[in-house]
């Protein structure tokens, strides 16, 4: 939240929009939303947040299955 209020830009490569959401980068990695590797937190603009949400919608069961192994 703090980063957003400072007017951080979207982390997606080539995107220069204002960020609206900050997410753990590992949650964004592998969803097709292109953030640079090595980030801890990813800032997403409205458009890319929408894209991320769409990309992760069908993944929820997969993630649950992964966590239940521990
Ligand atoms: Zn963006």
């Amino acid at each position: 939240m703090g980063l957003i209020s400072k007017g951080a830009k979207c982390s997606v490569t080539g995107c220069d929009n204002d960020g609206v959401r900050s997410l753990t980068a590992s949650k964004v990695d592998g969803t097709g939303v292109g953030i640079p590797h090595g980030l801890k937190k990813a800032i997403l603009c409205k458009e890319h947040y929408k894209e991320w949400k769409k990309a992760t919608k069908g993944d929820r069961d997969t993630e649950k299955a992964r966590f239940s192994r521990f």
Side-chain angles (χ1 to χ4, degrees), residues 10 12 15 17 45 48:
C10 181
V12 176
C15 181
N17 294 330
C45 66
H48 281 119

Side-chain angles (χ1 to χ4, degrees), residues 3-62:
L3 280 171
I4 300 297
S5 59
K6 278 176 201 161
K9 300 288 183 189
C10 181
S11 299
V12 176
T13 313
C15 181
D16 206 25
N17 294 330
D18 290 328
V20 293
R21 284 282 197 285
S22 120
L23 296 158
T24 308
S26 60
K27 283 192 174 182
V28 181
D29 226 2
T31 57
V33 181
I35 56 162
H37 288 290
L39 281 183
K40 279 187 180 167
K41 284 228 161 171
I43 316 275
L44 296 181
C45 66
K46 216 168 147 190
E47 286 305 306
H48 281 119
Y49 182 65
K50 244 198 256 173
E51 203 178 304
W52 175 81
K53 255 171 86 176
K54 237 194 253 174
T56 52
K57 230 180 184 178
D59 266 4
R60 239 169 235 174
D61 291 337
T62 318

